[in-house]
Amino acid sequence: MLSFNTTLVLLGVCCVSLLLGFSWRDKVWAPWLMLVSVCGLLALMARIIYDLLSMG
């Protein structure tokens, strides 16, 4: 189970990397950074949902 602080740090990292990719979207690597950021956010949400469902 992820602690609350770890979850917030990972959420912040994903959001900042998504913002960086969107800001420099004319670069070659920016769409890949945004793709990895979105996949990270989805994985983080899935992990939180899994932890909430397994508690009960």
Side-chain angles (χ1 to χ4, degrees), residues 16-55:
V16 166
S17 61
L18 187 61
L19 180 67
L20 286 175
F22 185 74
S23 296
W24 289 317
R25 60 188 175 272
D26 56 340
K27 306 286 186 198
V28 170
W29 49 268
W32 293 104
L33 181 64
M34 289 190 285
L35 180 66
V36 168
S37 301
V38 168
C39 290
L41 286 170
L42 290 174
L44 185 60
M45 287 188 290
R47 178 65 187 199
I48 292 169
I49 291 170
Y50 177 77
D51 285 343
L52 287 174
L53 290 176
S54 66
M55 288 178 112

